[in-house]
Amino acid sequence: AQWLRAGSLCTGYGGLDLAVLAVLHAHLAWCAAPDRHAARVLAARFPDVPNLGDLRAVDWARAPRAHPRPRRARWWRRGRHPG
């Protein structure tokens, strides 16, 4: 089975990312947190995940690919989005 690869915008300390990764059984492809303190926390929590830093400076054509939506989620294909 293919794992969902998620990207994280305005990541902060990564708390929401930990929950999303656990619930969706996903891997983090990249994160984006320009704050140096948040970057240190993210480097400890996700050592193999690149931090793209400031979103305004990201070259999105070269950023690691993340899936735009869960491919295997039945509720998504049927148009029944949670929330």
Side-chain angles (χ1 to χ4, degrees), residues 3-48:
W3 285 77
L4 173 72
R5 288 185 316 270
S8 177
L9 301 171
C10 306
T11 307
Y13 68 93
L16 178 61
D17 302 292
L18 291 172
V20 168
L21 298 178
V23 170
L24 295 179
H25 306 288
H27 292 292
L28 200 56
W30 49 262
C31 61
D35 180 79
R36 65 184 173 102
H37 302 294
R40 288 180 65 192
V41 172
L42 293 171
R45 286 195 174 159
F46 308 110
D48 298 327

Side-chain angles (χ1 to χ4, degrees), residues 42-64:
L42 293 171
R45 286 195 174 159
F46 308 110
D48 298 327
V49 175
N51 183 350
L52 304 181
D54 189 343
L55 296 175
R56 297 171 294 182
V58 174
D59 179 1
W60 292 106
R62 301 181 133 226

